Amino acid sequence: MSDFDVIIVGGGIAGASLGAEIADKRRTLIIEAEDQCGYHSTGRSAAFYLESYGGPEVAKLTSASGRFLAAPTADFSAHGFLRRRGDLHISRDELPELPPGVESRAVERPELEQLIPGVRPEWRRALLEPGCADIDVAALHAAFLRACRSAGGTVRTGSRLDSARRKDGRWTVQIEDGSTLVAAVIVNAAGAWADLVATACSVAPLGIAPKRRTMVQLRVGRSGLRNLPLVDDAKGTFYFKGEGDRTVWLSPHDEIATDPCDAAPEEIDIATAIDRFESVVDWSIERVERSWAGLRSFARDRLPVYGFDAHAPGFFWCAGQGGFGIQTSPAAAKLAAALLLDQAPDAMVELIDPALFSPRRFSS
Ligand SMILES: Cc1cc2nc3c(=O)[nH]c(=O)nc-3n(C[C@H](O)[C@H](O)[C@H](O)COP(=O)(O)OP(=O)(O)OC[C@H]3O[C@@H](n4cnc5c(N)ncnc54)[C@H](O)[C@@H]3O)c2cc1C
């Protein structure tokens, strides 16, 4: 039987980033059910960094992560992970309000026409958020896994937690392949499966709900789109960004409740995306080049959950990263690591109150 201090369940961005933070201080194992660590939500994102996204509390984690994502330490990566493109929150009437501290400026119709050639007349103005950037998600995720391993951690793919029981301060974990592992702490970083993993460990679920989101790659009859800003509706009904010279990534901003699964796009959501896109620009649509879907998982208050369970000793939550799990990952991992190790927080997160994200907020 292999013995660890911490077993992290889930090798997506949440598990990988926390593993990178703690592996030099605790004997750490990441177990991932799939053959690849980024197979689910982490490998399916829209890959943007947008400080205003998710509201003021999430913005604290995103802003705290920004500098590291732009210029990580040399031992972590020789390159930054961000490429600036800016975001236009477009509106037919009023401009949206952004969380405090997020840089933005108003754009009126003449400038909007230059920034989005062919934008339809009813879109009268926009708020430009210049700090919005693309994230190189694959490189970031790989760097977290590499950092975890080089600090002494182990990553085991094809290893699904089946059940776990706690006795005498230790968890005995049954893996689906029949093997058994032992650890003092289980970290639940299982994304859409977080509640199922809790139940499999006889821990009460918190109500982490997976919601499907659809992405479509469209080829259109206009070129020069690669650096088009991210464009989103201030009312939250679509977003798109330039991908290649004549292609965009588009989402209908859908949020369909589902069981945890290998999510796939539905025709109706692709059609809705295209319909909404056509209401924004007059560009002809040549074809759907590809489409995919992934699960964004939310706690009831749509804030992430970091911390030890209120009732189950040795069970640590790292879940509910919604649509912001990539852009918040550096700060979230530092905050979670401080809680897990019972240490003072890193300077990156010292001004963030961890109680905001504690699982104890759901205890009556
Ligand atoms: C369409 C879409 C667009 C998005 N766009 C953005 C964006 O632009 N920016 C941003 O920051 N975020 C974005 N997100 C959100 C982001 O992708 C997620 O918040 C993040 O990937 C969640 O990471 P995770 O590690 O919690 O989940 P996952 O990546 O899903 O990892 C959880 C892992 O746990 C594993 N697992 C489950 N059960 C078990 C078990 N019993 N045993 C072992 N392993 C198990 C799963 O196989 C899975 O690999 C988007 C998401 C979607 C779907």
Side-chain angles (χ1 to χ4, degrees):
M1 247 189 311
S2 306
D3 199 337
F4 295 88
D5 296 321
V6 180
I7 292 178
I8 298 176
V9 184
I13 201 87
S17 54
L18 182 54
E21 287 296 327
I22 65 168
D24 64 338
K25 300 177 192 75
R26 298 287 186 275
R27 290 171 303 146
T28 301
L29 170 69
I30 296 176
I31 52 170
E32 167 52 53
E34 305 289 350
D35 292 337
Q36 291 166 39
C37 280
Y39 181 76
H40 288 291
S41 304
T42 298
R44 304 176 190 212
S45 85
F48 57 74
Y49 172 91
L50 184 63
E51 269 182 297
S52 61
Y53 186 80
E57 312 302 1
V58 171
K60 292 175 188 167
L61 290 170
T62 306
S63 304
S65 299
R67 190 179 297 175
F68 180 86
L69 289 170
T73 50
D75 57 332
F76 186 76
S77 169
H79 307 282
F81 300 99
L82 299 185
R83 181 177 156 271
R84 272 210 184 204
R85 68 161 69 233
D87 174 70
L88 284 165
H89 304 279
I90 63 173
S91 175
R92 294 185 174 94
D93 36 63
E94 298 306 310
L95 292 177
E97 234 180 83
L98 301 189
V102 175
E103 187 192 344
S104 68
R105 71 170 172 86
V107 166
E108 293 301 332
R109 179 72 200 179
E111 189 184 356
L112 189 59
E113 283 170 19
Q114 286 176 357
L115 293 169
I116 317 174
V119 63
R120 295 198 187 274
E122 61 267 33
W123 299 97
R124 292 172 47 207
R125 52 178 63 92
L127 205 54
L128 174 66
E129 191 177 328
C132 174
D134 290 345
I135 309 175
D136 187 341
V137 179
L140 177 66
H141 184 222
F144 280 132
L145 289 171
R146 193 170 55 238
C148 176
R149 288 190 178 101
S150 61
T154 307
V155 181
R156 232 176 95 166
T157 54
S159 299
R160 183 181 299 276
L161 176 146
D162 190 41
S163 65
R165 292 290 168 266
R166 189 164 172 92
K167 200 173 163 218
D168 302 330
R170 311 285 291 167
W171 290 99
T172 301
V173 177
Q174 296 300 328
I175 302 298
E176 205 176 55
D177 65 8
S179 57
T180 303
L181 305 163
V182 173
V185 172
I186 288 180
V187 173
N188 184 358
W193 288 263
D195 270 3
L196 290 184
V197 163
T199 305
C201 298
S202 299
V203 174
L206 292 181
I208 306 289
K211 316 249 183 196
R212 189 179 68 237
R213 173 148 297 179
T214 308
M215 299 292 305
V216 185
Q217 181 170 314
L218 284 185
R219 187 177 167 91
V220 298
R222 178 174 276 275
S223 60
L225 300 181
R226 193 181 302 276
N227 295 317
L228 185 80
L230 178 67
V231 178
D232 68 70
D233 170 18
K235 294 212 163 90
T237 60
F238 63 81
Y239 61 76
F240 60 88
K241 67 176 184 179
E243 171 59 13
D245 186 49
R246 293 164 71 96
T247 53
V248 293
W249 278 12
L250 163 70
S251 172
H253 219 267
D254 49 341
E255 203 166 281
I256 317 285
T258 173
D259 288 333
C261 63
D262 190 353
E266 305 251 332
E267 287 302 322
I268 179 71
D269 298 318
I270 296 173
T272 302
I274 292 173
D275 186 52
R276 291 179 184 172
F277 181 74
E278 288 183 314
S279 76
V280 183
V281 283
D282 63 6
W283 312 341
S284 62
I285 292 169
E286 293 182 350
R287 62 178 175 275
V288 172
E289 288 191 331
R290 67 186 181 107
S291 58
W292 67 98
L295 303 180
R296 300 152 71 251
S297 299
F298 293 93
R300 287 195 294 279
D301 58 6
R302 295 179 75 95
L303 295 181
V305 189
Y306 303 117
F308 280 105
D309 188 87
H311 308 288
F315 191 86
F316 189 95
W317 290 87
C318 183
Q321 287 84 351
F324 42 78
I326 315 287
Q327 64 182 31
T328 55
S329 56
K334 292 219 183 280
L335 184 132
L339 294 168
L340 196 150
L341 302 171
D342 194 20
Q343 288 183 353
D346 184 271
M348 189 190 283
V349 290
E350 65 188 354
L351 299 178
I352 302 178
D353 179 4
L356 286 171
F357 309 119
S358 168
R360 289 165 196 263
R361 69 190 190 267
F362 300 115
S363 303
S364 45

